[in-house]
Amino acid sequence: LWLCLSPASPCFRCLSVFLCLSPPFYLSLCFCCSVFLFLCFVVFLFLCSFVPLFLCSFVPLFLRFFVFCFHLVIRGFPVPRRIAETLKGIQPKAVQVLDLGCGTGLSGEALQTANFTNLTGFDISQKSLDFVASKKPELYRRLIQGNLENPLPFSDNEFDGVVSVGVFSYVEDFEMLFSELVRTCRPGGTIAFSHRQELWDEDYRGCVPAAKALDPAGKWTCLQIGEPEPYMPETPAPTDSAQTVRHIAYKCSSAGISIYQHTNQTSIF
């Protein structure tokens, strides 16, 4: 550094003579070069210290997420297809179907394959809805953003069928949610959803009593609580491949009237 930057060094004097710089100017040049080389040294230390740490920490997580998505989409996530088959087996002529927690459209594609074409998608993630709107614009007639912890922004008796795949594990207030499902589904309509086996069997967050309470009240009738089935049987992740779900279906017996106030909804089209 001294050979390159010191005003007393031969190299710097030759450079100043070559550039015809007077002493004040080559002193300024010395300062600028010193700052530049110092910044380069700091950047070099950062790259040597933090980039390997970043790569070791986040790249494995990214690769695992990529593998999860690959197996989810390509190699087998049977739950959307099974729920669509359940709805078709019970109510094949359902016209308007609500897909709760539609995400990026996997359940919607399964419903469309089962010949349900008038679909409404509902999800908490606006980014997922934007993705569906841009990449799969023909999949849903409507896409609406909202939270299942709030009253659903739909009219009474609006849908012939309501489905949900892999979402109820996150729900906290099942009493309100099930009341809203009955309210939005027409009498004689079908409500089909998946739920993780251990959460349903252990009555996590009171899901079972909330469902049973609507049966004697004449709001819906239980049609099916399926046997445990694999959640993602072909994924290499042991924690995912070991999970099982139940496919559950109810038929609305009468028009449900929710005691909850409606909230505003945001429709993207």
Side-chain angles (χ1 to χ4, degrees):
L1 289 176
W2 181 85
L3 288 177
C4 296
L5 300 178
S6 174
S9 69
C11 294
F12 197 89
R13 288 184 177 276
C14 292
L15 179 63
S16 62
V17 171
F18 177 76
L19 297 176
C20 299
L21 297 177
S22 60
F25 288 102
Y26 70 66
L27 289 176
S28 299
L29 180 63
C30 172
F31 175 77
C32 293
C33 291
S34 301
V35 171
F36 174 75
L37 288 179
F38 174 75
L39 293 177
C40 291
F41 180 70
V42 170
V43 171
F44 174 77
L45 288 180
F46 172 80
L47 294 177
C48 292
S49 303
F50 294 99
V51 171
L53 178 63
F54 174 82
L55 293 177
C56 293
S57 301
F58 292 98
V59 169
L61 294 177
F62 173 78
L63 291 177
R64 182 175 179 181
F65 176 75
F66 175 80
V67 171
F68 172 82
C69 293
F70 173 79
H71 287 279
L72 185 69
V73 177
I74 304 299
R75 295 197 56 186
F77 180 38
V79 183
R81 175 181 54 81
R82 294 286 291 113
I83 291 298
E85 291 173 350
T86 299
L87 180 62
K88 186 174 183 179
I90 298 171
Q91 196 159 356
K93 296 183 179 180
V95 177
Q96 296 198 48
V97 178
L98 172 61
D99 182 6
L100 289 176
C102 62
T104 57
L106 290 179
S107 51
E109 291 173 335
L111 289 167
Q112 196 173 69
T113 302
N115 297 322
F116 299 109
T117 57
N118 192 344
L119 305 178
T120 296
F122 181 88
D123 200 89
I124 193 173
S125 171
Q126 188 62 49
K127 290 184 178 180
S128 296
L129 297 179
D130 292 339
F131 173 85
V132 175
S134 61
K135 302 298 184 181
K136 308 172 184 179
E138 304 300 325
L139 189 55
Y140 294 97
R141 299 288 181 89
R142 288 185 297 168
L143 287 172
I144 296 176
Q145 191 272 337
N147 193 331
L148 290 180
E149 300 297 337
N150 300 323
L152 298 177
F154 303 109
S155 304
D156 296 350
N157 309 323
E158 186 170 344
F159 301 100
D160 302 299
V162 179
V163 301
S164 184
V165 175
V167 176
F168 285 7
S169 304
Y170 306 100
V171 173
E172 296 184 2
D173 190 350
F174 281 97
E175 182 179 351
M176 187 203 71
L177 174 62
F178 289 156
S179 175
E180 284 293 283
L181 298 186
V182 172
R183 180 186 65 79
T184 57
C185 191
R186 294 168 184 161
T190 302
I191 298 170
F193 57 91
S194 69
H195 202 39
R196 284 170 53 184
Q197 177 204 351
E198 70 274 15
L199 300 184
W200 181 267
D201 294 351
E202 296 172 5
D203 187 24
Y204 183 65
R205 293 174 176 166
C207 57
V208 176
K212 289 182 176 180
L214 295 177
D215 201 334
K219 299 301 182 183
W220 67 11
T221 302
C222 183
L223 299 179
Q224 168 186 308
I225 299 180
E227 293 298 318
E229 297 185 22
Y231 180 59
M232 286 190 295
E234 297 185 28
T235 180
T239 56
D240 295 326
S241 60
Q243 287 187 11
T244 56
V245 297
R246 293 188 184 274
H247 304 135
I248 302 168
Y250 286 85
K251 181 172 285 292
C252 288
S253 304
S254 63
I257 304 298
S258 175
I259 63 174
Y260 301 94
Q261 295 287 333
H262 290 190
T263 56
N264 294 329
Q265 76 271 20
T266 301
S267 176
I268 65 174
F269 69 90

